[in-house]
Amino acid sequence: DTGVSQDPRHKITKRGQNVTFRCDPISEHNRLYWYRQTLGQGPEFLTYFQNEAQLEKSRLLSDRFSAERPKGSFSTLEIQRTEQGDSAMYLCASSPSWETPDGYTFGSGTRLTVV
Amino acid sequence: AQTVTQSQPEMSVQEAETVTLSCTYDTSESDYYLFWYKQPPSRQMILVIRQEAYKQQNATENRFSVNFQKAAKSFSLKISDSQLGDAAMYFCAYRFPQGGSEKLVFGKGTKLTVNP
């Protein structure tokens, strides 16, 4: 297993366009998370999946954002009608679903630039 | 709401020396988890060390150790024998008790520079 993979690494889009990012977690990890990191800030939680169920969403996740994990494996994060304020690093992470909470394994992120 | 504060935006240390990064947090919970993550310039966040709040013993991982002061809500990271590869952003993070929110709450980070 090569860890958490995110695609693409970079995305430049024009304001108003839709973008979609993909995350492939570690195969045996049931939990998957999306975070957003803007320049000079720590990551901010967006949403969490356990298997295919989206169990937690942040208020940061506006109506323009949607995330899916249809088969409990990879996940996609779509941003519709992008705005300049959406420019950020989007991080995916996964963790195993056993009793003792542990640290996440993060991907390298997708850097979105909205022009 | 739970918050995490890292009061040192930047720190520097000489190679082979020791440096301590500060972190304070606010919570009304009694049982929770604390983490230090490292984010090198390549961007992938890496777990450095974790601490369960119910454990009084401070966690250690090789050259990395924490000073966990639960009453003061303080969770500092000490890096001993600093190496050039330790240069990175370091983030302190709080995790809710089991059964609560699954999210991590991060501080704004401390940029560590290691001088040769």
Side-chain angles (χ1 to χ4, degrees):
Chain A
D1 200 335
T2 55
V4 178
S5 300
Q6 291 190 247
D7 184 69
R9 292 291 298 273
H10 299 92
K11 178 70 176 179
I12 300 174
T13 190
K14 292 183 178 179
R15 189 173 50 187
Q17 298 293 305
N18 299 343
V19 293
T20 300
F21 311 140
R22 177 179 170 123
C23 171
D24 287 89
I26 293 174
S27 57
E28 62 267 27
H29 286 186
N30 293 333
R31 295 169 170 174
L32 185 146
Y33 311 83
W34 285 99
Y35 282 76
R36 181 175 70 184
Q37 186 178 19
T38 53
L39 201 61
Q41 302 293 319
E44 296 174 293
F45 172 78
L46 292 177
T47 190
Y48 152 65
F49 290 85
Q50 182 155 352
N51 299 312
E52 66 276 9
Q54 188 175 22
L55 298 183
E56 194 170 352
K57 290 173 62 174
S58 164
R59 282 172 289 184
L60 291 175
L61 214 64
S62 73
D63 291 345
R64 297 184 298 105
F65 288 71
S66 63
E68 294 183 341
R69 193 182 183 197
K71 296 183 179 179
S73 56
F74 73 92
S75 175
T76 58
L77 177 67
E78 181 183 17
I79 309 174
Q80 296 181 329
R81 305 181 303 280
T82 52
E83 302 172 356
Q84 287 190 321
D86 297 330
S87 295
M89 178 74 77
Y90 290 84
L91 297 171
C92 178
S94 68
S95 71
S97 182
W98 46 62
E99 289 305 305
T100 304
D102 207 338
Y104 301 169
T105 301
F106 281 87
S108 296
T110 294
R111 179 168 295 284
L112 172 67
T113 303
V114 181
V115 298
Chain B
Q2 281 73 6
T3 57
V4 176
T5 302
Q6 293 180 249
S7 59
Q8 306 153 316
E10 296 188 28
M11 291 283 284
S12 64
V13 63
Q14 291 296 124
E15 198 175 1
E17 297 291 306
T18 295
V19 65
T20 298
L21 308 184
S22 300
C23 172
T24 58
Y25 58 94
D26 187 25
T27 184
S28 58
E29 304 284 351
S30 59
D31 189 17
Y32 46 86
Y33 300 82
L34 297 166
F35 303 89
W36 279 98
Y37 280 89
K38 172 185 177 182
Q39 189 175 40
S42 63
R43 300 175 302 179
Q44 187 171 18
M45 303 269 283
I46 303 166
L47 176 66
V48 175
I49 199 165
R50 60 170 278 182
Q51 174 81 43
E52 293 94 335
Y54 65 88
K55 290 186 178 179
Q56 293 185 338
Q57 187 173 5
N58 289 325
T60 62
E61 287 287 342
N62 301 312
R63 297 183 296 108
F64 298 88
S65 62
V66 299
N67 183 4
F68 173 50
Q69 301 290 327
K70 190 173 183 179
K73 296 180 183 176
S74 171
F75 183 61
S76 61
L77 174 69
K78 185 171 81 172
I79 306 174
S80 304
D81 185 26
S82 297
Q83 300 175 0
L84 295 177
D86 294 334
M89 286 292 294
Y90 285 82
F91 293 96
C92 179
Y94 168 97
R95 185 168 184 174
F96 292 79
Q98 194 171 348
S101 172
E102 284 287 330
K103 68 181 178 184
L104 288 179
V105 179
F106 286 87
K108 291 187 176 183
T110 297
K111 182 179 180 181
L112 179 65
T113 301
V114 181
N115 300 310

